[in-house]
Amino acid sequence: MSATPVPKALTGLDHRIEAAVGCSVDTLWEHRDRGLLDKPLARLADAHRALAAAETSVAFYRVLLHRLASGEFPVDTALFGRIGRTVDQLEQAAAARDERYAGVLAVLEPVEVAARSQTPSEETDLPARDIAALLAIARGAKLHEHLLTQRLSVITASGARVGYEQLQQLEQAGLLERDAAHPVHAGQPVTLTDAGRSALAGTRRPQTTGTGRPVPQVGEWPAAAHSRH
């Protein structure tokens, strides 16, 4: 039987991270797993994962200490020993949590500064059609030439096709690049640039409605269920 996944722990920095990157921390983790983040956001995702693991450890020992003191076990020397060990483990887990909290702050603050300094002209506002193409290409794609018609098109790992005209537009926008070392008849690998990955990662600060609630961004993946909360 496979182990049950441990829910991500809520951290005290989740809301700041989400405000800075423009998406939920669940989505940030998903984009990290897909290799869609630039280096600053990848470091932030990794640091947040470490902090979430530390928060989970703190919660585990706190619950264990509560159980030991709940009256479920006889009060004897063995219980005192277990309580003492658990208190030590909780203290060590809290110290590790505080260290990782500081680590998240160290990589989060530059991201916040960059988000605050971002101007409207720097924001990416891609049509849903282009977002869909980038998402498909991010999973693996090659440019092929049809043997009979000589028509060029991108075939993605999922079997979707992206027209050559759209490929050129995305290339000119600096979102895609081709590996010209491979001949077209054999398939030229097409990959996202850092700018393309950033566009998918939703690095813009989210716009808000009059109620202050974020407006969903075009092409943004739905956030995973918040089991952390």
Side-chain angles (χ1 to χ4, degrees):
M1 183 174 64
S2 60
T4 302
V6 178
K8 294 193 286 289
L10 178 67
T11 78
L13 293 174
D14 285 15
H15 295 305
R16 281 182 60 178
I17 291 173
E18 291 173 349
V21 304
C23 65
S24 72
V25 292
D26 296 292
T27 302
L28 181 69
W29 283 26
E30 179 184 349
H31 289 182
R32 176 64 173 118
D33 292 338
R34 293 177 181 271
L36 300 177
L37 301 181
D38 57 18
K39 289 182 179 179
L41 291 184
R43 286 194 294 267
L44 177 59
D46 291 342
H48 181 263
R49 265 191 170 134
L51 175 59
E55 290 282 12
T56 299
S57 183
V58 169
F60 172 80
Y61 289 115
R62 184 171 54 201
V63 170
L64 177 57
L65 184 61
H66 175 75
R67 182 186 174 197
L68 292 173
S70 66
E72 179 179 348
F73 303 98
V75 178
D76 54 18
T77 303
L79 177 62
F80 294 147
R82 290 188 66 186
I83 289 176
R85 289 192 298 273
T86 301
V87 169
D88 290 342
Q89 291 166 327
L90 178 59
E91 183 178 8
Q92 292 169 8
R97 184 269 319 274
D98 293 343
E99 181 179 347
R100 290 174 182 176
Y101 186 97
V104 173
L105 282 179
V107 294
L108 171 60
E109 289 171 354
V111 173
E112 289 179 320
V113 171
R116 285 194 295 269
S117 64
Q118 193 175 49
T119 64
S121 62
E122 293 172 320
E123 293 181 351
T124 302
D125 190 13
L126 293 173
R129 174 173 173 266
D130 289 345
I131 289 289
L134 291 175
L135 180 56
I137 291 171
R139 296 167 181 165
K142 288 185 178 181
L143 175 66
H144 290 272
E145 182 180 34
H146 195 281
L147 292 176
L148 297 178
T149 65
Q150 282 75 54
R151 293 185 62 182
L152 296 171
S153 63
V154 176
I155 302 177
T156 70
S158 64
R161 289 179 179 268
V162 177
Y164 186 63
E165 181 180 350
Q166 187 178 11
L167 169 67
Q168 289 181 307
Q169 292 173 348
L170 293 173
E171 276 188 312
Q172 292 171 0
L175 303 177
L176 294 178
E177 59 186 359
R178 284 181 270 175
D179 187 352
H182 294 74
V184 177
H185 64 81
Q188 281 187 349
V190 180
T191 57
L192 272 61
T193 62
D194 286 344
R197 285 188 287 271
S198 294
L200 281 186
T203 54
R204 292 176 295 166
R205 293 178 64 83
Q207 298 175 351
T208 58
T209 64
T211 60
R213 296 179 62 84
V215 174
Q217 302 298 320
V218 175
E220 180 179 286
W221 291 326
H226 282 268
S227 56
R228 299 172 303 102
H229 300 203

